[in-house]
Amino acid sequence: MDSKETERFVEESLSSSSKKSEPILSQEEHHHSPQTCVKNNPFSIFLEPFQWLQMLSDQLNPTFIFGIVVVYGLSQGFSGSFFRVVTDYYWKDVQKVQPSVVQMYIGLYYIPWIMKPIWGLFTDVFPIKGYRRRPYFVVAGVVGCVSALMVALLGNLPVALALGCLIGVAAGMAVADVTIDACIAKNSIEIRALAPDMQSLCGFCSSAGALIGYSTSGFFVHHLGAQAALILLAIPPAFIILLGFVIYEMKSTTLHSDQKQKPVENLGIAVRGMYQTIKYPQVWKPSLYMFLSLALSISTHEGQFYWYTDPKAGPAFSQEFVGMIYAVGAMASMVGVLIYHKVLKDYPFRNLLFFAQLLYGLSGMLDLLFILRWNLALGIPDSFFVISEECVSRIISRIRWIPMIVLSTRLCPLGIEGTFFALLMCIDSFGSLTSKWGGGMVLHVLNVTRTDFTNLWLVILIRNCLRLATLGLIFLVPKADQLDALIPHDLLTKNSAQTGDDEEIELVPNNDKDVV
């Protein structure tokens, strides 16, 4: 079944399922909507998310949906948010490191994410016992679990060992992420109509997990201490190990003697396919934009965090309140996902990213107002202002991020979709690392320390100007709609045929296959 036939199958299935389940239907049919709402039913708005989730479970394998919930919800959402807050206090209170140095350390967390093409190559061309995805979930879970337990239970660690353990936690997240992303990229190619829905689900799970992580992080830091609280980071990797055993995957039945040579051959095919794909202008131009939009927005997080918690220069927010700020931001992030899913997923890439980047730069000025304490001059309390600023920033960030991920899935050829999507995410991670290190250097040059925040406002102003300067690069983004194919069709089919795509994880079961 080719992509066009698959899309027609999905749309017909959605239409028929909607007719069977709802006797009274609205006359308006929404494009690839889960199900149309019942007229005059006050509860339809509450039922719609469940109907949408049921539709995704029907069209995609339920264990794939479970994988998204575990990886994006628990691993990236909960672990990522909990990790962010707790490690900030760990470096500040336990290791007593300067903010500019912490930014350099945090940049090293991105190394496993920069290595995502390597993990992608392993998952695409080096199956273990006939499986391409399941063993790598198990490996990711073991690495993340062991690393979290070490840093939490081994006492006052040397800085180098503590940093290594925290990088290990990030490595577990990265390997799990690249494995599930390979599945997402494959489905996004084969069923283009559901690509925005899949990214909406990922964004919602990530935001929901972040809400739980942020809202509990301050409580655990206060009652357990920054180091002991890190033990909770061992829970999501345990679920990833479970995912490796329960996710449905077809085991390869090709066990001939020449199969020992096949991984090496597939490795060469994958590398050549990556090289041929990245040469296309419609691929490298948007990839360059995504990198620069991340790299030029230098990070000022550690400087602001130290200022937030300083009793003299800053507002001296408590540990619980810092967690609450980020938790409210996570809720706002879910609002951003909802806005994208309901209103913006049909807009062309260039138009959407232009206005999202513009709002991203303008919203950064709220940080400047807060650092200069102009909010007090306007009679706005610190707590109210910082929560409002966090909400605005998170909504805009999510609206800016999701279309870039959808765009990345559009650039992946079949057969090496895991490897190539990992390459694009590696470029994004390198942009984030550049942002962290660039921000750390600016904090150091302008002498922003644990106790001196005189020039912090200037650092934030420089950051905001760089965000707005990124608008001059918007010509690199294609004008295409979010459902359009961006790379030649022959490139999609060539790599799929060469790498033996029939051995891939079965995520979209056909009618003649029994799914267990």
Side-chain angles (χ1 to χ4, degrees):
M1 181 181 294
D2 61 23
S3 59
K4 292 183 178 179
E5 291 174 344
T6 306
E7 288 183 54
R8 287 197 298 270
F9 168 75
V10 171
E11 293 172 356
E12 291 171 0
S13 299
L14 298 182
S15 176
S16 61
S17 64
S18 177
K19 291 177 182 178
K20 291 177 182 179
S21 60
E22 298 181 27
I24 303 177
L25 299 178
S26 171
Q27 295 299 316
E28 180 183 0
E29 295 183 357
H30 299 283
H31 180 57
H32 64 267
S33 176
Q35 289 185 7
T36 52
C37 298
V38 181
K39 281 186 176 180
N40 301 323
N41 185 352
F43 299 104
S44 61
I45 190 172
F46 299 104
L47 295 176
E48 186 176 348
F50 298 99
Q51 295 170 344
W52 174 68
L53 190 61
Q54 181 63 49
M55 179 273 293
L56 291 178
S57 296
D58 291 341
Q59 303 304 326
L60 308 167
N61 193 294
T63 58
F64 167 65
I65 302 299
F66 176 68
I68 289 180
V69 173
V70 169
V71 177
Y72 276 88
L74 280 178
S75 181
Q76 291 192 33
F78 174 80
S79 283
S81 58
F82 195 87
F83 183 87
R84 176 184 178 184
V85 176
V86 177
T87 56
D88 278 344
Y89 280 104
Y90 177 76
W91 291 119
K92 177 177 179 287
D93 297 336
V94 178
Q95 298 290 352
K96 300 187 184 303
V97 180
Q98 295 289 349
S100 58
V101 177
V102 176
Q103 290 240 170
M104 296 297 180
Y105 290 166
I106 292 178
L108 296 177
Y109 298 164
Y110 289 98
I111 289 179
W113 298 90
I114 292 174
M115 295 175 64
K116 284 181 72 173
I118 297 177
W119 316 139
L121 282 171
F122 274 104
T123 60
D124 276 344
V125 303
F126 290 105
I128 299 175
K129 300 294 184 180
Y131 294 104
R132 296 190 177 192
R133 311 300 184 203
R134 302 177 76 175
Y136 292 99
F137 282 123
V138 176
V139 170
V142 171
V143 170
C145 191
V146 171
S147 299
L149 292 175
M150 285 181 63
V151 73
L153 300 178
L154 292 184
N156 191 14
L157 298 177
V159 170
L161 182 57
L163 181 60
C165 290
L166 295 176
I167 292 175
V169 174
M173 296 182 196
V175 175
D177 176 77
V178 76
T179 308
I180 198 68
D181 278 350
C183 307
I184 294 172
K186 186 173 188 293
N187 270 346
S188 297
I189 295 169
E190 294 183 340
I191 311 180
R192 293 202 302 270
L194 291 181
D197 295 84
M198 280 184 275
Q199 292 304 326
S200 296
L201 177 62
C202 292
F204 178 81
C205 291
S206 177
S207 298
L211 172 62
I212 298 173
Y214 284 133
S215 59
T216 59
S217 57
F219 173 83
F220 284 108
V221 169
H222 179 75
H223 291 280
L224 299 179
Q227 184 166 3
L230 290 170
I231 196 171
L232 294 179
L233 291 177
I235 297 176
F239 277 92
I240 291 177
I241 295 174
L242 174 64
L243 175 63
F245 288 100
V246 302
I247 193 168
Y248 178 72
E249 181 177 7
M250 296 174 62
K251 185 175 181 179
S252 173
T253 56
T254 54
L255 300 176
H256 301 104
S257 59
D258 61 346
Q259 281 302 106
K260 295 182 179 180
Q261 291 294 112
K262 190 171 183 180
V264 178
E265 296 173 2
N266 284 346
L267 177 62
I269 293 171
V271 173
R272 288 194 301 272
M274 290 169 60
Y275 174 72
Q276 292 170 358
T277 304
I278 201 68
K279 290 193 303 181
Y280 281 92
Q282 56 266 49
V283 176
W284 70 258
K285 285 184 177 180
S287 301
L288 179 61
Y289 173 82
M290 288 186 282
F291 167 76
L292 292 175
S293 66
L294 292 170
L296 291 177
S297 179
I298 60 174
S299 174
T300 60
H301 171 71
E302 296 307 318
Q304 291 177 260
F305 172 75
Y306 277 60
W307 182 78
Y308 284 165
T309 56
D310 189 86
K312 297 180 180 179
F317 291 144
S318 66
Q319 296 162 341
E320 288 87 349
F321 188 74
V322 169
M324 190 183 77
I325 293 171
Y326 295 142
V328 173
M331 295 178 63
S333 185
M334 286 190 282
V335 174
V337 174
L338 183 63
I339 292 173
Y340 168 80
H341 181 73
K342 290 294 186 181
V343 180
L344 302 176
K345 65 181 180 180
D346 294 325
Y347 281 80
F349 283 116
R350 183 179 295 184
N351 294 347
L352 180 55
L353 288 175
F354 175 83
F355 288 105
Q357 186 67 32
L358 176 62
L359 292 175
Y360 188 56
L362 294 177
S363 66
M365 296 299 177
L366 295 175
D367 287 329
L368 187 61
L369 297 180
F370 190 42
I371 296 296
L372 294 174
R373 310 312 297 271
W374 289 358
N375 62 295
L376 297 180
L378 296 173
I380 305 175
D382 287 336
S383 57
F384 178 81
F385 188 88
V386 73
I387 289 177
S388 301
E389 182 275 330
E390 183 74 8
C391 289
V392 172
S393 175
R394 288 298 193 91
I395 291 174
I396 295 173
S397 295
R398 184 61 71 177
I399 292 174
R400 170 176 169 263
W401 177 246
I402 294 181
M404 287 201 288
I405 298 298
V406 175
L407 177 58
S408 296
T409 63
R410 288 285 176 265
L411 305 178
C412 298
L414 273 176
I416 58 168
E417 66 279 347
T419 304
F420 198 79
F421 190 81
L423 174 64
L424 297 177
M425 293 300 98
C426 160
I427 294 173
D428 290 350
S429 297
F430 188 66
S432 298
L433 183 149
T434 305
S435 169
K436 287 290 183 183
W437 283 1
M441 291 175 63
V442 175
L443 288 170
H444 178 73
V445 169
L446 295 179
N447 196 36
V448 177
T449 66
R450 294 170 57 89
T451 57
D452 187 358
F453 304 96
T454 305
N455 293 324
L456 181 57
W457 70 272
L458 183 57
V459 177
I460 294 176
L461 179 61
I462 293 172
R463 180 202 67 182
N464 295 340
C465 291
L466 289 174
R467 286 182 179 180
L468 293 174
T470 306
L471 292 171
L473 304 172
I474 198 67
F475 68 92
L476 296 171
V477 178
K479 296 181 179 179
D481 291 334
Q482 296 185 50
L483 298 182
D484 293 342
L486 300 180
I487 59 177
H489 181 72
D490 59 342
L491 189 61
L492 286 175
T493 56
K494 179 171 63 176
N495 287 299
S496 177
Q498 289 179 334
T499 56
D501 194 53
D502 59 309
E503 297 176 12
E504 284 290 339
I505 186 170
E506 182 66 33
L507 297 173
V508 189
N510 295 328
N511 292 333
D512 58 345
K513 293 182 181 179
D514 295 327
V515 180
V516 295

